[in-house]
Amino acid sequence: MLFIGGTAIFLLTMGLLAAALLAPGRWRQAMGSRRFVIGGGIVFPVVTLAALLVYSLGISRALTLPGEAAPLKVEIIGRQYWWEVRYPELGEGAVTANELHLPVGRDVELQLSSGDVIHSVWIPNLHGKMDMIPGRVNRQRLRVDRTGVLRGQCTEFCGIQHSFMAFWVVAHEPADFAAWVARQQAPVPPPATAAAAEGMRVFGEAGCGACHAVRGTAWQGRLAPDLSRIGGRLSLAAGALENHRANLAGWIAGAQDIKPGNAMPAYGRSLEGAELLAVADWLETLR
């Protein structure tokens, strides 16, 4: 409805512009009359915009009304420059980063907050924009009706990497969502190869666990994204990179070269090439 209303106003405006440029002189003189200016410049926009406002407020209220079943509550915390996603109702360990996984057909309540500055979350295919304000929790309700992968984005300037602060929404059938939750809650398996075991050792010695958590290990840092299932995610660095072994190693080596200003230090000078690849090998197995 808003699109139709905006299109009608745009076409009317362009028609008036064309008339002002091309119409005979007597038409242009009539368009400059007081009655025409008051009717077209004041009455028409006030009536039209007021009607669209009433319509949009009604839709907004309908989106916030409680449904028959209790919604799934999901906490999303905006950080510079990534997204922490937590599922408090699904037990300890249901935590991910830069991806929002949802079951099809169930109402969801997003509890939106910020850990630093003002962010704004927007998933164009699901809902409008909602600010994430430090010290406050804003709530937004939505429901996904079919499976698929959608893109979300921060839409409030939050620093130099604002435009590289994206995330993915993955909609599952209920059974697949339950299986995803079970994988998130399970501890990571032990390394299956010598390269992965070496990567796990280097990860610990480099101090990565001071900031990152890996479920089932002693590393339970909360300052940076949870890496427990990083190998199965669709992207790295909040949508800045595709997720594969080479980009994992490159991100560890030079995070500040790829995404300047983020909180991840670069390890290119402190880790040898073989060590970087070993860490990437191990992280890639965490699916």
Side-chain angles (χ1 to χ4, degrees):
M1 185 60 66
L2 292 175
F3 182 80
I4 292 172
T7 301
I9 294 172
F10 173 78
L11 293 176
L12 177 61
T13 303
M14 293 301 101
L16 292 174
L17 175 61
L21 294 174
L22 304 175
R26 65 180 184 277
W27 287 22
R28 294 199 299 271
Q29 184 176 8
M31 291 172 63
S33 67
R34 178 180 298 179
R35 179 180 299 178
F36 188 89
V37 171
I38 293 175
I42 298 177
V43 175
F44 174 76
V46 167
V47 172
T48 304
L49 294 177
L52 291 174
L53 174 62
V54 171
Y55 176 82
S56 63
L57 290 176
I59 293 296
S60 298
R61 182 175 183 274
L63 290 173
T64 60
L65 290 175
E68 296 180 0
L72 171 66
K73 292 183 170 60
V74 183
E75 297 176 358
I76 304 181
I77 304 170
R79 304 188 186 278
Q80 291 176 306
Y81 300 94
W82 61 284
W83 310 86
E84 182 178 3
V85 183
R86 310 182 71 85
Y87 296 79
E89 297 179 338
L90 302 182
E92 186 66 26
V95 181
T96 187
N98 303 317
E99 286 187 6
L100 174 61
H101 290 252
L102 300 175
V104 168
R106 181 174 178 183
D107 288 348
V108 176
E109 180 180 280
L110 302 182
Q111 300 179 347
L112 308 172
S113 61
S114 171
D116 36 55
V117 300
I118 295 177
H119 301 278
S120 184
V121 63
W122 185 32
I123 310 169
N125 294 75
L126 293 182
H127 64 72
K129 303 172 186 178
M130 178 70 77
D131 282 350
M132 311 168 83
I133 303 171
R136 178 182 176 87
V137 177
N138 285 337
R139 291 173 170 81
Q140 191 161 44
R141 295 176 69 99
L142 57 88
R143 185 180 64 204
V144 184
D145 293 324
R146 59 182 181 269
T147 60
V149 178
L150 308 172
R151 182 185 171 97
Q153 181 70 40
C154 180
T155 57
E156 179 75 26
F157 182 75
C158 56
I160 59 175
Q161 292 300 329
H162 158 69
S163 58
F164 286 102
M165 188 173 167
F167 64 99
W168 297 100
V169 181
V170 184
H172 304 269
E173 292 293 347
D176 294 333
F177 178 74
W180 176 84
V181 171
R183 287 195 303 274
Q184 296 302 307
Q185 295 174 328
V188 301
T193 65
E198 174 65 8
M200 185 175 181
R201 182 192 67 79
V202 174
F203 182 93
E205 290 187 355
C208 303
C211 296
H212 294 282
V214 181
R215 204 160 302 115
T217 72
W219 305 313
Q220 298 298 320
R222 289 288 306 274
L223 298 177
D226 187 301
L227 301 182
S228 301
R229 301 294 170 181
I230 186 174
R233 293 176 190 164
L234 298 175
S235 68
L236 299 173
L241 297 171
E242 293 183 12
N243 188 6
H244 54 68
R245 177 174 176 263
N247 279 346
L248 275 166
W251 174 255
I252 297 167
Q256 293 303 317
D257 296 324
I258 296 171
K259 197 170 180 179
N262 80 94
M264 171 78 174
Y267 285 87
R269 295 184 179 180
S270 57
L271 296 178
E272 299 292 336
E275 293 176 318
L276 289 169
L277 290 175
V279 175
D281 280 333
W282 177 59
L283 293 177
E284 194 176 33
T285 67
L286 304 182
R287 298 178 178 270

